[in-house]
Structure formats: structure tokens, C-alpha cells
RNA sequence: GCCCCCAUCGUCUAGUGGCCUAGGACACCACCCUUUCAAGGUGGCGGCACGGGUUCGAAUCCCGUUGGGGGUGCCA
């Protein structure tokens, strides 16, 4: 390789949301640009005007920033827009025509199919190769695939050989004169001086065509690298229809960007040693394209969440509190804004931190502190109060709470005393109390929040639950 | 149909001919801890797709089979 600055690129089409597979490809390119002191070029492939919206571009930039690909970083270049290079695409097409590497063809797809069927062959047969057709309405420009074979040198896969006879004379310019993806992509890579094309494996079958184009245009092809695709449980390529693929959605749920990045990087690759949860710096340091796996990887949300839980627990408490507060004070919170008490959450934060896997779960764990009335889980209520001891013991607890010294420790002792008397273990005994206070059968430790709630409110909730149990 | 890619526990992976009785992580199960639920700790379940070679020796190399996936547009 030359000593010139390596130039990588990420070329998404703006289709409305940012795909996790795209995030992974972007990450690979970014990582290599950082590691090899190269440039990460962002090019928006916006030539399909029918599904193109300007705000999607900002969405891509935001999503990239979220996973640490900062458009202000000196390694970042762009965004460029494919649509602004339309003239170059046509010039290149003209060049290919002039040099005899391409020809015009007037065959419709029906005609092509008919002839293929008659001949028992597949695809286009090169019918117009030597007909000397001129450009004209409805005439497409086709590339004249040369004889021989094309060998693609792929950094992750090695040498992949294609027999040129199996590649039909593909279209460069549509009947209306606009360039197709294959051409536009190559021409842009050439004009942007791209040296490394790293993308998902689904592009591998296109690569010989692109390589022929580079050669026909008189430019040395780039270094190719095709990483395996991400698949769902059915081992199919992740799709927007069936699968949860939007990075934005994970972000909203409270997946931490570090967790997402770390997880994505363990798909098809692993850091040295027995630990998968590793800092980005270690990944940059150890990563090598040559060691990327060759087979598709299942995007396992459970494992992502497990990573996320670890990252949440790793956060300093203060950071966790600030991160939680974003959600707690947002419109997603089920209580009126003025009822939110930051000091109450602070007091609970440590107990919450080990109990959430995504940040969005924080709400449900503390909502009873900020809601005027806890939202009661009916099934859990019925179950908890179905026990014989439930009502009498809870009544006694209420009596004790009326006079007990108001702190978590004393509250717990008071409940235990009732338990001893009725021969019910604390674990069971606290069930009805928990429902009365929080509305749920599970949650953070009970006595701390009761202390926070205060005597009056706690007693009110207990009595209200008792009344409900009665009738 | 044709072309291409791929193949280690259910999943993500470590493994580059002897350190493999195949290691780790997620998930699952059990136990411990425990104020429910988590977290944490300990242990368990579970895999080299199959068949041929090559070799003193193969998860690792070769061939084949089978099975998956991707691509085959005047989409990107």
C-alpha cells in the first residue's frame, strides 16, 4: 500500500432511520480511519429521489454522532451528496462509451426476457453489443463486460473469483439518461479518492462489476472488504419490516451508546482475552479486519441489553442520576412535572441503578413516589390480598406505622415484629404492603421509599388498600 | 435456474496442526446471599454439520455432501 492517507467511506441512503447494520459498517470504517490516521468520508446516496427527505440526512449525522462518529473530528469529511455529482456520473458514462467499453441498447426488459427464454439462458445476452446504436430516448447504456475473469482481493475474505461470462452487460445509464447506483457509486469513490471500500457482504456480488468499472475508467481499484451481514433469529438479513433495526429506537429506550458500540463490535469479532465489555480504545487498538468472522451474526437484543445493564451499573452514581433525570423530567414520565422531586430520586438512585437494563425502565421503578395515586396492578393486588394473613397483618402494620420512629430501619423492625407475631416471614409479609405503597408486587427495597414518602401519605395508601381489599 | 459467500454450545465468539478432556460471554437451570425484584457469588446444561482424504497427530489443511445466507432491476 502507498503511504498516502487512507480514505474510507460510509455511503448510506437517506431512507428515514438509521439501521443498526449501517451503524456497524460506519463504526468499522470510522475505527479504521482512526487507527490508520485516515479519513472517514460520509456520502449521502440520495439519487433515488422518490424516497428522499432532507431531514433524514440530519438524522444520519445525529445517529453517527451518538455512536461517537463526530462530524467535527478532523478524521471526518463530509457529508457529500451523491446528487450533486450527477454531471460527473454522466461524464464517466460518456467516457466509457467513447472508449468502447459501453454501448447503447434499445431492448425492453420484455424483449430481453423473451430472448433469454427462447435461448434457455438467463439475463441479457448482449444483443446490442455490435449494433452501433446511438443514444436516444429509451436507450440504456450498457457496460461491455470483457472476457476472462475478475478477481476481487478482499481483506476479510481473501481472493474471490468471478467468471466474467456469468456477468451480463449491466446497465450504466437508464433510458432517461440518469446513472444507476453501480456507476454513481464508483464514480463518486473515484472523485473522492477513496482507497478502501468497506461495506456489508451483500455488496460482494456487485464488486466485480464495480472493479471492472474502475479499471475501464483507468483507475486502480480500491482495497475491498466485505463484512458479514447482521441477521435476525430466522437467520435472514435484518429488515425494517420484521425487525427492530432503528438505532434511534434503541437510543430512545435508553440503550447507552457505549453499550451499543461495544456490542456491535463483538458481532463478528472479539477482543483478546475473556472479557467482551471493553473500552473503545482497546477495540481500536486490537481490531483487525483480517480477523473479522466470515459468517453472518445474529443481532441479539437480549445480549445488547445485558451489555447495557453492565454499562449502567458501571456509571458513577452522579452520571446515572443525570441520565435518569433526562427521562424522569421528560414528557414520557407518567406524572405531572411539578410532582417530580429530584431529592427523592437521588435518595433512591442507588437502589434503582442495579435494577434497570435500559434507562426507560427507571420510570416504572419510581413512579409511585411521584404519582398522587400509585397505579395498582389488579392481578398482583388480588394475589397479594388473597393470603389469609394479608388484611389483618397490614392493619397491624398501619397501627404500628402510626407511632413508630420514621426511618427505614425502624419501619422494617416494626413490620418484622408483626411478622413474628403471626409467624409470617418478612418476604411474604411485605407483599400486601408493597402493593399498597407502590401498586406492584416487585420493585426496589421497600422501607427506604416508605421513609421518603412520609408517614401521612404511607398511612393513607395502606388504608386505601385495606378499604379496597374489603370490598 | 445461475453466480457468490458461509459452517465451533440455542446465540455471539476464542481457537490459525499437538497446549482442546474445545475456553469465555448472553440466555437457561440450580444453589448461596437477600426485604420482593435485581445485582453479586458458586455450580450446571450445552458445540467442532456429515463423509472422505492429507498427517505420527486435525475444530484447525484439501475434496465432496448437506445445510444456511446473499446477489441476480432501467433500487440503493
Amino acid at each position: 500500500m502507498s503511504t498516502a492517507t487512507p480514505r474510507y467511506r460510509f455511503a448510506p441512503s437517506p431512507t428515514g432511520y438509521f439501521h443498526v447494520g449501517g451503524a456497524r459498517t460506519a463504526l468499522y470504517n470510522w475505527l479504521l480511519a482512526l487507527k490508520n490516521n485516515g479519513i472517514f468520508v460520509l456520502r449521502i446516496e440520495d439519487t433515488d429521489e422518490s424516497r428522499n427527505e432532507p431531514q433524514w440526512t440530519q438524522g444520519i449525522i445525529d445517529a453517527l454522532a451518538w455512536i461517537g462518529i463526530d462530524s467535527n473530528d478532523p478524521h471526518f469529511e463530509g457529508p457529500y451528496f451523491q446528487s450533486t455529482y450527477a454531471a460527473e456520473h454522466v461524464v464517466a458514462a460518456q467516457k466509457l462509451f467513447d472508449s468502447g467499453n459501453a454501448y447503447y441498447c434499445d431492448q425492453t426488459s420484455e424483449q430481453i426476457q423473451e430472448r433469454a427464454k427462447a435461448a434457455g439462458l438467463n439475463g441479457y445476452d448482449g444483443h446490442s453489443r455490435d449494433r452501433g446504436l446511438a443514444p436516444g430516448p429509451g436507450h440504456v447504456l450498457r457496460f461491455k463486460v470483457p472476457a476472462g475473469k475478475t478477481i476481487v482481493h478482499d481483506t476479510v475474505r481473501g481472493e474471490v473469483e468471478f467468471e466474467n461470462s456469468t456477468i451480463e452487460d449491466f446497465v450504466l445509464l437508464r433510458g432517461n439518461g440518469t446513472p444507476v447506483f453501480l456507476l454513481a457509486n464508483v464514480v463518486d469513490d473515484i472523485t473522492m479518492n477513496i482507497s478502501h471500500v468497506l461495506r456489508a457482504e451483500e455488496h460482494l456480488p456487485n464488486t466485480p462489476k464495480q472493479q471492472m468499472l474502475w479499471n475501464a475508467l483507468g483507475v486502480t481499484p480500491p482495497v475491498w472488504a466485505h463484512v458479514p451481514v447482521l441477521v435476525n433469529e430466522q437467520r435472514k438479513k435484518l429488515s425494517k419490516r420484521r425487525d427492530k433495526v432503528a438505532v434511534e429506537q434503541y437510543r430512545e429506550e435508553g440503550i447507552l451508546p457505549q453499550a451499543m458500540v461495544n456490542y456491535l463490535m463483538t458481532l463478528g469479532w472479539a477482543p483478546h482475552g475473556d472479557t467482551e465489555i471493553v473500552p473503545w480504545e482497546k477495540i481500536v487498538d486490537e481490531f483487525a479486519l483480517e480477523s473479522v468472522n466470515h459468517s453472518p451474526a445474529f443481532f441479539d437484543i437480549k445480549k445488547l441489553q445485558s451489555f447495557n445493564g453492565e454499562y449502567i451499573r458501571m456509571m458513577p452514581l452522579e452520571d446515572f442520576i443525570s441520565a435518569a433525570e433526562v427521562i424522569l423530567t421528560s414528557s414520557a414520565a407518567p406524572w405531572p412535572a411539578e410532582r417530580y422531586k429530584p431529592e427523592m430520586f437521588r435518595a433512591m438512585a442507588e437502589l434503582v441503578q442495579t435494577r434497570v437494563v435500559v434507562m426507560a425502565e427507571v420510570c416504572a421503578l419510581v413512579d409511585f413516589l411521584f404519582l398522587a395515586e400509585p397505579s395498582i396492578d389488579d392481578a398482583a393486588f388480588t394475589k397479594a390480598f388473597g393470603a389469609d394473613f394479608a388484611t389483618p397483618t397490614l392493619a397491624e402494620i398501619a397501627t404500628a406505622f402510626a407511632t413508630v420512629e420514621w426511618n427505614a430501619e425502624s419501619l422494617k423492625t416494626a413490620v418484622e415484629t408483626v411478622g413474628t407475631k403471626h409467624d409470617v416471614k418478612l418476604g411474604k409479609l411485605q407483599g400486601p404492603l408493597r402493593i399498597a405503597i407502590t401498586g406492584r408486587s416487585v420493585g426496589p427495597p421497600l422501607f427506604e421509599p416508605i421513609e421518603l414518602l412520609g408517614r401521612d401519605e404511607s398511612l393513607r395508601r395502606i388504608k386505601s388498600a385495606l378499604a379496597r381489599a374489603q370490598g
Side-chain angles (χ1 to χ4, degrees):
Chain A
M1 237 13 49
S2 72
T3 52
T5 303
R7 291 173 64 82
Y8 301 87
R9 48 67 145 184
F10 176 59
S13 50
T15 52
Y17 64 96
F18 197 57
H19 194 287
V20 288
R24 191 180 64 134
T25 308
L27 240 19
Y28 280 132
N29 280 287
W30 179 244
L31 189 156
L32 258 12
L34 294 179
K35 193 181 170 81
N36 302 325
N37 198 25
I39 296 294
F40 172 98
V41 175
L42 173 63
R43 180 175 71 236
I44 308 293
E45 308 228 315
D46 58 348
T47 41
D48 184 3
E49 286 159 33
S50 58
R51 27 173 221 180
N52 204 354
E53 306 260 356
Q55 69 265 29
W56 302 142
T57 299
Q58 190 55 45
I60 290 171
I61 290 173
D62 292 346
L64 287 174
W66 185 68
I67 54 174
I69 302 179
D70 176 8
S71 57
N72 296 311
D73 190 288
H75 295 280
F76 190 105
E77 195 178 297
Y80 296 111
F81 294 88
Q82 184 156 75
S83 57
T84 61
Y85 292 88
E88 279 82 349
H89 305 154
V90 175
V91 168
Q94 184 64 41
K95 192 177 164 194
L96 290 167
F97 177 70
D98 291 342
S99 61
N101 286 299
Y103 60 91
Y104 283 95
C105 172
D106 61 359
Q107 300 292 291
T108 64
S109 53
E110 291 76 33
Q111 292 173 302
I112 291 168
Q113 268 178 19
E114 257 175 52
R115 220 184 7 264
K117 207 173 163 186
L121 294 168
N122 306 297
Y124 182 65
D125 60 359
H127 178 76
S128 303
R129 268 198 175 204
D130 304 309
R131 292 169 64 214
L133 259 29
H139 291 195
V140 300
L141 184 69
R142 289 185 180 274
F143 184 73
K144 193 184 284 178
V145 174
K149 57 176 96 168
T150 300
I151 297 171
V152 172
H153 297 272
D154 188 294
T155 312
V156 343
R157 280 156 213 286
E159 291 192 353
V160 186
E161 211 176 290
F162 297 84
E163 196 59 55
N164 288 4
S165 59
T166 65
I167 301 172
E168 66 179 35
D169 287 351
F170 52 94
V171 171
L172 261 17
L173 251 29
R174 302 185 181 96
N176 63 10
T178 58
V180 302
F181 155 77
L182 225 47
L183 210 220
N185 195 262
V186 167
V187 173
D188 288 345
D189 283 344
I190 291 173
T191 59
M192 291 171 196
N193 226 315
I194 300 304
S195 60
H196 293 71
V197 172
L198 194 178
R199 70 242 289 200
E201 192 196 346
E202 62 208 80
H203 292 286
L204 187 52
N206 280 151
T207 308
K209 299 180 189 174
Q210 299 199 136
Q211 183 161 298
M212 287 188 261
L213 251 22
W214 281 74
N215 288 140
L217 256 7
V219 190
T220 307
V223 175
W224 307 104
H226 292 89
V227 297
V229 292
L230 260 25
V231 297
N232 63 19
E233 237 164 334
Q234 284 77 238
R235 305 243 113 220
K236 301 262 194 262
K237 200 168 71 156
L238 245 33
S239 96
K240 158 179 173 181
R241 283 191 71 110
R242 296 179 303 251
D243 309 306
K244 188 169 150 190
V245 295
V247 169
E248 291 86 347
Q249 200 182 343
Y250 289 101
R251 176 175 59 191
E252 275 162 33
E253 281 179 12
I255 291 289
L256 268 16
Q258 309 91 296
M260 178 62 93
V261 168
N262 194 160
Y263 174 63
L264 249 15
M265 291 308 296
T266 64
L267 257 22
W269 179 80
H272 298 319
D274 280 344
T275 318
E276 292 177 310
I277 307 276
V278 292
W280 174 244
E281 293 69 32
K282 181 175 159 78
I283 295 175
V284 173
D285 189 46
E286 294 181 358
F287 182 82
L289 262 187
E290 291 78 0
S291 57
V292 169
N293 249 39
H294 295 185
S295 36
F298 169 48
F299 184 78
D300 185 353
I301 295 172
K302 279 220 173 118
K303 190 155 181 179
L304 203 213
Q305 290 180 332
S306 159
F307 271 48
N308 203 56
E310 287 227 30
Y311 272 94
I312 286 176
R313 279 172 255 128
M314 255 190 263
M315 290 169 105
L317 186 59
E318 284 306 313
D319 293 2
F320 175 71
I321 291 171
S322 335
E325 220 136 54
V326 173
I327 294 166
L328 263 11
T329 58
S330 79
S331 57
W335 49 78
E338 70 275 9
R339 289 194 58 91
Y340 176 65
K341 301 283 184 301
E343 65 289 354
M344 272 199 179
F345 179 70
R346 289 192 82 80
M348 287 289 291
E350 207 172 344
L351 299 175
V352 173
Q353 192 172 5
T354 55
R355 269 161 256 260
V356 293
V357 148
V358 294
M359 293 304 292
E361 291 170 350
V362 170
C363 277
L365 281 176
V366 297
D367 61 353
F368 68 94
L369 289 170
F370 309 121
L371 251 18
E373 210 55 65
S375 62
I376 308 259
D377 176 336
D378 290 326
F381 187 96
T382 309
K383 193 173 176 207
F385 281 87
D388 293 340
F389 65 82
T391 310
T393 54
L394 188 56
E396 278 182 43
I397 288 168
T399 309
F401 277 13
T403 56
V404 74
E405 194 187 334
W406 201 257
N407 62 61
E409 198 45 43
S410 307
L411 290 165
K412 183 185 172 195
T413 309
V415 173
E416 277 170 338
T417 305
V418 173
T420 310
K421 188 177 155 197
H422 289 263
D423 197 28
V424 182
K425 289 226 169 64
L426 180 58
K428 294 189 98 173
L429 189 61
Q430 68 167 355
L433 177 59
R434 178 180 292 280
I435 295 276
I437 300 291
T438 73
R440 295 190 173 87
S441 57
V442 296
L446 234 204
F447 301 104
E448 290 78 358
I450 293 179
E451 180 188 332
L452 290 172
L453 228 34
R455 196 189 305 267
D456 293 347
E457 176 62 12
S458 301
L459 285 175
R460 190 189 68 75
R461 292 189 183 186
I462 293 171
K463 284 175 182 149
S464 155
L466 248 15
R468 176 180 168 140
Q470 236 96 69

